[in-house]
Amino acid sequence: MEKFHLYFSSKLDKQESKYQPKLLEEKETIRIPVGNLIINVKLVKPDDLKNYVMNFLQHYFIILNLKDAVKGGDVFRINNCLKMMIPFFYNHSPLSKYMVECLDYILKTEVMLPPKLAIQVRAAACVNPKGAKAKNKAADMQKENQVNEMKELFKGLGSNKNEHSIETISKAYPVVNDIVSHIDLQISNKEVKSSHKSRS
């Protein structure tokens, strides 16, 4: 059985006048007197697999909680989720831009902004393009999707890319997007979505 050194429970060697560490068996219990109180200490080997799984589950449930809060449009729970995510971002890097964004959003919505403006900022964090119940999405994700769609239009210009053509196609984007969405609706075209980047 593996043995461990426990330096705070050592025996005094009177001949050598120094502390000698006592070898303890795993899960062996020792009694430490602290004043009138006796504390029982049991030496247990750390379970690395358990620690890994616990940390993984903490990450997982925080992400699930945040996704559910965004989907339901619960702006107050979003702030709570961001507060719980700050230690994870800091642990990844003290200079993490995600941690800075979390702190900035929380400080603005809870401390710096007036109550009316703060609730407007919170409400603007989520959008519901189709108006369905519990179908909200993050506003920045919606903007990213629009940017990607506009990039596809820019690619369609081919070699005719210039300032005037890009400005024209940018103005036409809302109309083009509206026409395409109506055509998809009429032919009952459903976009297949997956959380995986590539299908196996």
Side-chain angles (χ1 to χ4, degrees):
M1 182 178 291
E2 188 175 356
K3 296 184 179 181
F4 300 85
H5 287 282
L6 194 64
Y7 290 96
F8 60 81
S9 70
S10 53
K11 297 187 296 183
L12 180 62
D13 190 338
K14 295 182 179 179
Q15 295 179 353
E16 299 181 4
S17 299
K18 64 179 181 180
Y19 285 96
Q20 296 292 336
K22 177 186 176 183
L23 289 176
L24 295 178
E25 300 289 340
E26 185 179 354
K27 296 185 179 180
E28 180 181 349
T29 302
I30 60 172
R31 297 165 62 85
I32 302 176
V34 180
N36 297 328
L37 183 66
I38 301 296
I39 299 177
N40 293 323
V41 177
K42 182 179 289 187
L43 187 64
V44 180
K45 184 179 179 181
D47 190 342
D48 294 333
L49 178 60
K50 178 184 176 182
N51 293 336
Y52 172 79
V53 172
M54 293 296 292
N55 288 328
F56 178 82
L57 289 177
Q58 282 183 340
H59 282 77
Y60 178 69
F61 285 121
I62 288 176
I63 292 173
L64 280 186
N65 193 16
L66 179 63
K67 291 177 69 175
D68 183 66
V70 171
K71 199 171 183 180
D74 191 342
V75 294
F76 297 100
R77 187 148 59 103
I78 290 175
N79 274 38
N80 292 335
C81 293
L82 293 178
K83 291 174 185 177
M84 290 187 287
M85 295 174 79
I86 289 175
F88 294 102
F89 292 140
Y90 180 80
N91 187 47
H92 181 265
S93 171
L95 302 177
S96 172
K97 63 179 182 180
Y98 302 108
M99 181 189 68
V100 174
E101 288 294 330
C102 286
L103 291 172
D104 179 70
Y105 182 81
I106 292 169
L107 287 174
K108 285 181 178 177
T109 55
E110 295 188 6
V111 180
M112 299 174 65
L113 295 177
K116 185 176 180 180
L117 184 57
I119 198 66
Q120 289 178 352
V121 172
R122 291 188 183 195
C126 301
V127 294
N128 194 334
K130 298 183 179 179
K133 184 178 180 180
K135 292 292 183 180
N136 295 283
K137 62 192 299 187
D140 55 348
M141 183 179 294
Q142 175 73 5
K143 182 60 67 176
E144 286 291 334
N145 293 339
Q146 292 175 353
V147 169
N148 289 334
E149 291 171 355
M150 291 187 68
K151 286 181 178 179
E152 291 296 325
L153 292 178
F154 295 158
K155 289 180 182 178
L157 293 174
S159 60
N160 298 321
K161 290 188 183 73
N162 54 56
E163 186 176 351
H164 177 69
S165 61
I166 290 176
E167 184 178 350
T168 303
I169 200 69
S170 299
K171 291 179 180 178
Y173 163 73
V175 179
V176 173
N177 186 50
D178 191 44
I179 293 173
V180 172
S181 61
H182 276 80
I183 293 175
D184 290 340
L185 182 63
Q186 290 175 359
I187 65 176
S188 300
N189 180 36
K190 293 185 178 180
E191 183 181 357
V192 179
K193 297 182 179 180
S194 173
S195 58
H196 299 284
K197 292 184 178 179
S198 60
R199 291 184 173 274
S200 57

